[in-house]
Amino acid sequence: MMMQLWEILLNWRQVLEIIILFAIIYLVLYYSSKNHGAKMMQVLVVLLLAIWGLARIIELPVITKLFDEFYGSTIIALLIIFQPEVRRGLSQLSLFMEKRHRKEVISEIEDAVINMSGSKIGALIVIEGKERLQALIDDAIQLDAQVNSQLLESIFFPNSPLHDGAVIIRGDRIVAARAILPLTRSKEISPHLGTRHRAALGISEESDAVTIMISEESGAVCIAYDGELHRDLSEFGLNKMLEKLVVGKDSDELAETIELVSAQEENNELSDIDPEEK
């Protein structure tokens, strides 16, 4: 009786394997003869992998051995078929790591700027964009140091040999100090703004660099970018601007950020006004 049940079970497995093999051959021939595109081929691969897994679970030896024999070829086929997804995934991973690295860099810069602003130490920090500033670097004191908040503060410390001019940052390196920036030619700039403001605006008009300026008189922090000067930034405003200008440069998000920062600064100004004066 047990032998008969085993033979029935064995026959059932063999019949199931024949049906599955027929289905596999049919699917492969069908999708090979029709132009269904990469998406349908991906669906086919997923179905074949599901069949492979099912065959191993319910112990279908012929199908399992067939798939095992072509295991290496299957991996290569998967990489080819899913090439756009693999490339996209690697690009996203690379972008994520790059953004994370940029965040670490601007964190060091922010710490230095906040400390120097509190101590009213004047500074000009240029963060190079896609456009190289090699001509300015060649005429400056060339350095090659990791961006560090303490190093930036020591460079701009009063009476330091390098405190005059600007620091230029490329990636995560301080590549130059005591750089002389071009002054803005705009006639609309306020006559009350000093040389640092004009220099920050000047380099922003000639390149895609992001320039942070700290006023020696008031300690106010400004950012110049794309020919515009964003003045009197709070710690919140500084962080938001650098997040969008250095970490990510989506134009729509940048516009929203500028509006948000402006609103925040207006609220800060209103909160500083005496209630009776309002």
Side-chain angles (χ1 to χ4, degrees):
M1 185 68 178
M2 291 297 294
M3 288 297 296
Q4 291 177 347
L5 288 174
W6 174 253
E7 289 177 0
I8 293 172
L9 181 61
L10 182 61
N11 292 335
W12 173 78
R13 289 176 184 276
Q14 291 174 346
V15 171
L16 181 59
E17 283 192 312
I18 292 172
I19 294 173
I20 292 176
L21 285 171
F22 176 79
I24 291 173
I25 295 171
Y26 173 78
L27 288 172
V28 171
L29 292 176
Y30 178 76
Y31 284 112
S32 299
S33 62
K34 303 290 184 179
N35 185 19
H36 286 279
K39 288 294 182 183
M40 296 304 294
M41 287 299 294
Q42 291 170 8
V43 173
L44 173 60
V45 171
V46 172
L47 287 174
L48 292 177
L49 290 175
I51 292 172
W52 186 13
L54 179 64
R56 297 183 72 90
I57 292 172
I58 63 178
E59 299 180 358
L60 300 178
V62 176
I63 295 177
T64 301
K65 186 176 181 180
L66 180 64
F67 274 101
D68 288 342
E69 288 293 331
F70 293 98
Y71 179 77
S73 302
T74 304
I75 297 299
I76 296 174
L78 284 173
L79 291 175
I80 294 173
I81 293 173
F82 289 95
Q83 182 183 4
E85 284 72 15
V86 172
R87 189 189 301 123
R88 192 179 303 116
L90 291 175
S91 298
Q92 290 176 350
L93 178 61
S94 176
L95 181 60
F96 170 77
M97 296 302 294
E98 183 180 353
K99 284 190 173 184
R100 183 176 178 181
H101 187 61
R102 288 179 183 176
K103 284 184 178 181
E104 294 173 355
V105 172
I106 67 169
S107 177
E108 293 289 335
I109 296 173
E110 285 175 12
D111 289 343
V113 169
I114 291 167
N115 291 337
M116 289 189 288
S117 174
S119 302
K120 293 185 179 180
I121 296 175
L124 265 177
I125 301 173
V126 181
I127 304 173
E128 189 182 59
K130 293 182 179 180
E131 298 177 24
R132 296 299 189 186
L133 304 175
Q134 197 59 47
L136 296 178
I137 295 171
D138 292 339
D139 292 337
I141 305 298
Q142 297 184 32
L143 303 173
D144 182 21
Q146 184 78 26
V147 174
N148 180 279
S149 60
Q150 294 179 343
L151 178 57
L152 286 171
E153 291 178 49
S154 66
I155 289 174
F156 288 109
F157 192 79
N159 300 323
S160 164
L162 302 177
H163 81 282
D164 283 332
V167 156
I168 298 178
I169 294 175
R170 173 181 291 169
D172 63 348
R173 314 294 293 180
I174 300 174
V175 294
R178 207 171 180 179
I180 306 301
L181 305 183
L183 301 181
T184 180
R185 298 177 180 178
S186 174
K187 296 181 180 179
E188 298 179 0
I189 188 172
S190 170
H192 300 293
L193 297 181
T195 304
R196 283 196 178 93
H197 292 87
R198 296 173 184 273
L201 263 179
I203 191 63
S204 75
E205 292 168 349
E206 297 186 10
S207 72
D208 62 345
V210 177
T211 303
I212 306 168
M213 194 228 65
I214 305 172
S215 170
E216 190 173 358
E217 289 74 22
S218 63
V221 178
C222 305
I223 285 183
Y225 178 73
D226 195 24
E228 293 187 12
L229 187 65
H230 306 278
R231 301 174 58 186
D232 301 327
L233 295 175
S234 64
E235 184 175 341
F236 167 84
L238 174 67
N239 176 263
K240 285 297 181 182
M241 291 288 289
L242 290 181
E243 282 280 340
K244 297 304 178 185
L245 291 173
V246 180
V247 178
K249 293 188 175 182
D250 185 279
S251 58
D252 293 333
E253 290 185 358
L254 178 58
E256 293 176 3
T257 300
I258 293 174
E259 292 179 4
L260 181 62
V261 169
S262 299
Q264 180 70 22
E265 298 306 327
E266 289 178 3
N267 291 335
N268 290 341
E269 291 177 1
L270 289 175
S271 63
D272 291 338
I273 299 176
D274 189 275
E276 294 182 358
E277 295 180 358
K278 295 181 182 179

